[in-house]
Amino acid sequence: MAMVHRQPAGWLVDHLFFINQSGYQLCHACEGPARAFSDVPSAAASSDKDPIVATTSATSNSCRKRSVSELGAAGKKSGEMLKKTYLFREEFFNVFKPHIAADFQKELQQGSSEVGLEEKGSEQQEGAVSGKSHSGATKKRRKRRSSVLNYGERDALEYHLRIRKMISEGTRSLVQEGFKSGFLQRSSAIPVCSGTLDMRHSDFSLAELCEMAKQYAFVNETEQRAVCKIDEDTSVPEQVQLSCVTENITNDTKLITLMGHTYLFPPQSSFLLSDISCMQPLLNYNKKFGVIVIDPPWENKSVKRSNRYGYLPPWQIKQIPLPALAAPDCLVVTWVTNRQKHLRFVKDELYPHWAVHGVVEWYWVKITRSGEFVFPLESSHKKPYEILVLGRIQGSTDTPLRRSGNEALPIPDHKLIVSVPSTLHSHKPPLTEILKEYTRPDVECLELFARNLQHGWTSWGNEVIKFQHMDYFTAEQNKK
């Protein structure tokens, strides 16, 4: 199970296992059409028109149909009876050591205060990955640092002091269980791995594609379908449709392509690739969701400087039509960075605006594979935890979300989700098994601002299939 251990303090979670338990398996005979899709020049590449126009004109038609029995017969005829299993690459979870060495952390704390809880984080991570020396950067930072805390820094420090004992003790207890079960290993037992990851599609931006697509009209709205369904008698679309929800209603993994790139589409899942200005297809999906997880692209100085990804200001996040998507007693979960102004915004403005009540806070604690915090808990640089804010729409704290006999399970406060984090940016741990305890059975689940797909979930965002790209997976072949 993805949930390795459960204790009163929280849960120890295996993110990698959760991804791979989705069952990304394809019969060799079923891969033929997908390979043909990627090998044949796309409409965008073969057209004299603008690439986006060519793509949307190709995808605005109904899904191409081809009988699965025909595909199977073709495979049998060729004698190729191989089943290929795709596994998410383990090296993305090879976090063996903390991002900040203990000696460098001591240097940072000398003559400095609790500053840069988030803004300096990305700069230090880049240095840790590249192996560059921090001595010069440390001297420069010392010149700019002040011993006087500003309002935001004082606020963050006070918040940390309130929760640090709970995080320390709870994490220690879960880590000890991880050692006992063998899920975690002592530092001396962990092999040293080297090498760089080759992400060949790094220049392809789904977010830019969504932005470009807005400049062109799709098909006539009266002719546009809200959903493109993929069933056993329907082949996958040659290109992902940007104008409607794409749904895999089968129990099998499918291959989908977009602009020559191939992605894995898990069973019983659906997605909409668009930005916040094009959410109408999701509203037209005619589904009400009992769980909605939100991972907003929060604004901060580091993001502004690096221009690594887009962000949304608070007023724009408030425009998300969440009440229109939510079922009664919907469980709402929002990821929040360690900036206190974001936490206050969610609790004091966003949730009241959405009529979310019974608000509690959980914490995602990031550890190495040897059980250490990825950043020292008292780091003046960046904290090893992030915050989740949970609540319910149109319900009170004594209204059960899941009924087991006459027992009601209200959402507890101050729970920990401990896991080895992915090295990929904003690749959050799974919540599916954990949230089951606080929802009704067979509830519909939605993730907003998603970067990957989940079995049984609907996902939306302008990079919603990013981590489904084939380059993030390795293939294993077995005889059927």
Side-chain angles (χ1 to χ4, degrees):
M1 291 180 63
M3 189 189 301
V4 181
H5 294 288
R6 174 183 174 179
Q7 291 188 345
W11 305 269
L12 180 63
V13 174
D14 187 345
H15 189 173
L16 179 62
F17 181 86
F18 175 82
I19 299 173
N20 290 332
Q21 76 176 357
S22 295
Y24 291 110
Q25 293 184 340
L26 291 168
C27 293
H28 195 281
C30 296
E31 287 188 79
R35 285 182 175 174
F37 290 163
S38 56
D39 291 340
V40 175
S42 65
S46 61
S47 173
D48 295 331
K49 298 184 289 184
D50 185 275
I52 298 299
V53 176
T55 301
T56 53
S57 63
T59 59
S60 61
N61 297 324
S62 60
C63 301
R64 294 197 321 178
K65 302 210 170 187
R66 188 173 177 186
S67 169
V68 171
S69 59
E70 291 177 2
L71 299 177
K76 291 179 181 178
K77 194 171 183 179
S78 63
E80 296 177 342
M81 296 298 293
L82 291 177
K83 181 171 65 176
K84 187 173 289 188
T85 300
Y86 290 90
L87 300 175
F88 203 81
R89 294 166 63 175
E90 185 178 359
E91 55 263 43
F92 289 117
F93 290 90
N94 284 347
V95 182
F96 299 115
K97 296 181 179 180
H99 295 311
I100 300 182
D103 54 350
F104 179 64
Q105 173 60 21
K106 291 179 181 178
E107 290 182 20
L108 283 177
Q109 290 180 334
Q110 292 176 357
S112 67
S113 56
E114 286 279 337
V115 296
L117 293 178
E118 178 175 329
E119 284 78 331
K120 306 272 193 317
S122 61
E123 297 174 2
Q124 176 57 30
Q125 277 188 297
E126 292 170 1
V129 172
S130 63
K132 295 180 180 179
S133 172
H134 298 283
S135 58
T138 304
K139 293 178 181 178
K140 292 181 180 179
R141 288 194 185 106
R142 282 180 182 172
K143 293 180 182 179
R144 298 196 301 265
R145 287 178 185 271
S146 170
S147 60
V148 179
L149 298 176
N150 62 36
Y151 174 78
E153 293 161 357
R154 287 197 305 271
D155 202 12
L157 177 57
E158 291 173 0
Y159 182 84
H160 172 72
L161 293 176
R162 289 197 302 269
I163 66 173
R164 65 178 180 180
K165 181 179 179 182
M166 177 265 299
I167 288 180
S168 177
E169 293 178 352
T171 302
R172 184 185 305 114
S173 177
L174 286 163
V175 165
Q176 288 173 353
E177 291 300 315
F179 285 139
K180 291 178 183 178
S181 66
F183 174 67
L184 300 175
Q185 301 178 26
R186 304 288 179 181
S187 300
S188 58
I190 293 180
V192 177
C193 298
S194 60
T196 58
L197 299 176
D198 176 24
M199 301 310 297
R200 290 165 291 170
H201 69 287
S202 57
D203 292 333
F204 179 62
S205 172
L206 294 169
E208 290 180 5
L209 178 63
C210 289
E211 186 64 27
M212 292 170 62
K214 290 191 297 183
Q215 308 300 320
Y216 302 95
F218 292 100
V219 296
N220 188 292
E221 292 184 2
T222 60
E223 300 175 357
Q224 178 60 43
R225 295 173 301 159
V227 184
C228 174
K229 291 187 177 182
I230 301 173
D231 57 30
E232 297 295 351
D233 295 324
T234 306
S235 72
V236 297
E238 182 173 351
Q239 295 285 337
V240 173
Q241 296 199 35
L242 303 178
S243 53
C244 71
V245 175
T246 303
E247 184 177 30
N248 180 4
I249 63 175
T250 75
N251 293 318
D252 302 313
T253 299
K254 299 292 184 178
L255 291 182
I256 53 177
T257 64
L258 177 61
M259 302 294 284
H261 295 261
T262 308
Y263 302 83
L264 288 168
F265 194 179
Q268 300 295 328
S269 64
S270 55
F271 70 89
L272 172 64
L273 175 63
S274 74
D275 65 14
I276 196 170
S277 67
C278 303
M279 295 187 69
Q280 192 59 43
L282 189 60
L283 297 172
N284 297 341
Y285 193 25
N286 292 327
K287 277 192 178 183
K288 297 292 183 180
F289 299 94
V291 174
I292 300 179
V293 176
I294 313 164
D295 186 15
W298 294 108
E299 177 183 8
N300 64 66
K301 293 180 181 178
S302 175
V303 171
K304 287 182 177 179
R305 287 196 303 264
S306 64
N307 197 28
R308 287 178 302 168
Y309 63 88
Y311 59 86
L312 291 180
W315 67 266
Q316 205 165 7
I317 295 175
K318 287 178 69 173
Q319 292 183 341
I320 297 172
L322 188 133
L325 297 167
D329 292 328
C330 173
L331 175 59
V332 181
V333 183
T334 302
W335 289 94
V336 184
T337 67
N338 284 321
R339 296 197 68 183
Q340 288 300 294
K341 74 172 187 178
H342 296 326
L343 180 60
R344 285 196 302 270
F345 166 72
V346 172
K347 296 175 69 174
D348 300 340
E349 294 186 48
L350 185 63
Y351 275 12
H353 177 71
W354 286 339
V356 176
H357 305 282
V359 177
V360 300
E361 296 174 25
W362 290 3
Y363 308 92
W364 172 33
V365 183
K366 309 171 199 178
I367 60 172
T368 67
R369 292 178 63 178
S370 58
E372 302 174 272
F373 290 118
V374 294
F375 290 96
L377 186 58
E378 304 303 327
S379 172
S380 61
H381 173 71
K382 193 175 183 181
K383 299 303 182 190
Y385 56 81
E386 293 185 31
I387 305 167
L388 299 87
V389 184
L390 299 86
R392 295 182 299 218
I393 287 185
Q394 297 178 354
S396 58
T397 54
D398 58 356
T399 301
L401 284 176
R402 184 174 184 179
R403 294 174 174 82
S404 177
N406 296 322
E407 182 183 3
L409 294 178
I411 310 171
D413 202 1
H414 299 304
K415 287 286 190 178
L416 305 183
I417 301 171
V418 180
S419 73
V420 178
S422 168
T423 57
L424 300 168
H425 175 70
S426 196
H427 198 194
K428 297 297 195 297
L431 302 177
T432 302
E433 292 185 17
I434 295 172
L435 297 182
K436 280 181 180 179
E437 300 181 32
Y438 311 105
T439 62
R440 295 191 177 98
D442 303 320
V443 70
E444 294 283 352
C445 302
L446 169 67
E447 183 175 8
L448 301 178
F449 302 103
R451 290 189 167 192
N452 60 277
L453 307 180
Q454 298 184 56
H455 179 279
W457 282 59
T458 298
S459 305
W460 166 83
N462 65 354
E463 293 187 306
V464 68
I465 56 175
K466 179 180 177 68
F467 296 140
Q468 301 302 128
H469 196 287
M470 293 289 284
D471 284 356
Y472 290 106
F473 294 81
T474 56
E476 296 182 352
Q477 287 188 348
N478 299 300
K479 288 186 178 181
K480 192 173 179 180

